[in-house]
Amino acid sequence: MTHFRVATWNLDHAYNSSRPKQLQIDQILEYMPDILVLTETCEQVDLTPYGYKVVYPKSKNGYGKYWSSIWYNKKAFFIKEIETANSEVAVCAQFDTVLGKLNIYGTIIAYRDFMVKQGAKPWTEHYKSIQWQGVDWLRVSQLEPNVPLLVAGDFNQTRDRSNRYSTSEGINLLSEALAQSHLVCLTEENFGKSGKLKVDLKKGKPRANIDHICVSKGVFSVVQVGAWDHFNGDGIYTSDHNAVFVDFDYESR
């Protein structure tokens, strides 16, 4: 197999009584990503028995968990951690992979109603989050210009023009931030319409995708872009987010 799979999944503050952690782990192992950015996760969702290692942010969040993390297997060798502008929200590290050297930036962008109870207007913190992270992506991309950058995580924004969970301002801000760092988002399709996500039987429609994977333009050959549901084959919910993944062809590198 010559594919290198990168995936990202938000675990909704990780497991609880209604979402057993083993079901989350089983779903991850079904797809076997080589690099996995987990958001809203915790140490109890442990992939180390399955051949993975992890890089966590330097700081836990207010729940005593992690907003983001980077898991990697034997197709990636950890080189060094790279400082981010917010060590609680984002984590970044450099790896030597079958694709070559690669900087991975795992993160979560503020959701629509973040800080609304404290008086903020909806989407305001989302816009602010995009702005500071865009600056940070540019900084990381300029540290070693010859090392490609991959940014993945929960962007809290649909980008398939369905407007199910986004605004024009937010889409434009994120597009500008990505363009500034010469990044392209690979996960903008409507995964429900393309049949890659099943219908949520409780809601009567597929989930709107707000988790994304973005990479440096013109560097990698993409084999396929896919997704898995926020419930398993038995219909048991494992998160409130679907996951997305991208397979890259490393023989062409």
Side-chain angles (χ1 to χ4, degrees):
M1 182 178 179
T2 61
H3 300 168
F4 184 79
R5 176 166 290 179
V6 177
T8 186
W9 195 18
N10 181 308
L11 295 183
D12 188 24
H13 296 293
Y15 77 99
N16 59 29
S17 58
S18 64
R19 295 192 302 277
K21 63 184 176 181
Q22 192 57 49
L23 294 185
Q24 296 175 330
I25 292 171
D26 289 346
Q27 209 162 356
I28 291 167
L29 295 178
E30 182 180 348
Y31 289 89
M32 290 299 292
D34 300 302
I35 292 282
L36 172 64
V37 172
L38 286 181
T39 56
E40 293 192 23
T41 188
C42 67
E43 292 159 331
Q44 285 72 30
V45 181
D46 184 12
L47 299 176
T48 56
Y50 309 97
Y52 286 88
K53 297 179 181 180
V54 65
V55 183
Y56 285 120
K58 292 182 179 178
S59 306
K60 290 185 175 181
N61 60 28
Y63 301 95
K65 300 180 180 181
Y66 293 104
W67 287 125
S68 56
S69 63
I70 304 170
W71 290 88
Y72 59 101
N73 68 10
K74 61 183 179 181
K75 287 185 182 178
F77 178 79
F78 174 82
I79 297 176
K80 62 183 178 181
E81 192 164 353
I82 299 171
E83 185 178 356
T84 66
N86 187 320
S87 61
E88 179 182 315
V89 171
V91 59
C92 185
Q94 185 174 103
F95 298 89
D96 189 7
T97 77
V98 292
L99 296 173
K101 278 189 178 181
L102 185 59
N103 289 334
I104 307 286
Y105 192 110
T107 192
I108 186 166
I109 293 174
Y111 68 104
R112 175 185 60 195
D113 293 334
F114 183 62
M115 299 295 289
V116 164
K117 291 182 179 179
Q118 288 74 33
K121 293 181 179 180
W123 294 112
T124 300
E125 296 301 315
H126 177 75
Y127 302 153
K128 290 180 181 178
S129 186
I130 291 171
Q131 289 168 332
W132 75 255
Q133 295 205 42
V135 172
D136 212 31
W137 302 339
L138 180 60
R139 176 188 62 83
V140 173
S141 70
Q142 293 175 338
L143 290 174
E144 295 179 63
N146 293 327
V147 178
L149 175 62
L150 186 149
V151 180
D154 177 7
F155 285 26
N156 272 302
Q157 180 185 116
T158 51
R159 293 188 57 80
D160 57 17
R161 302 297 170 176
S162 67
N163 296 323
R164 282 177 64 181
Y165 192 76
S166 59
T167 66
S168 294
E169 182 176 353
I171 289 173
N172 290 337
L173 279 172
L174 183 53
S175 295
E176 291 168 4
L178 293 172
Q180 189 175 31
S181 295
H182 304 289
L183 295 167
V184 59
C185 185
L186 301 176
T187 49
E188 295 186 341
E189 73 179 89
N190 187 317
F191 290 98
K193 282 189 175 180
S194 63
K196 295 176 182 178
L197 290 176
K198 300 183 184 70
V199 172
D200 183 329
L201 295 179
K202 291 185 179 179
K203 296 186 177 181
K205 56 186 177 183
R207 221 196 98 80
N209 180 62
I210 60 174
D211 300 76
H212 295 288
I213 298 170
C214 308
V215 296
S216 296
K217 287 182 180 179
V219 178
F220 303 115
S221 175
V222 175
V223 177
Q224 71 165 330
V225 178
W228 71 78
D229 290 293
H230 59 296
F231 47 85
N232 67 10
D234 296 321
I236 300 172
Y237 284 87
T238 48
S239 178
D240 64 345
H241 285 239
N242 64 277
V244 293
F245 65 87
V246 178
D247 289 343
F248 299 96
D249 181 0
Y250 60 80
E251 275 201 344
S252 63
R253 288 285 290 164

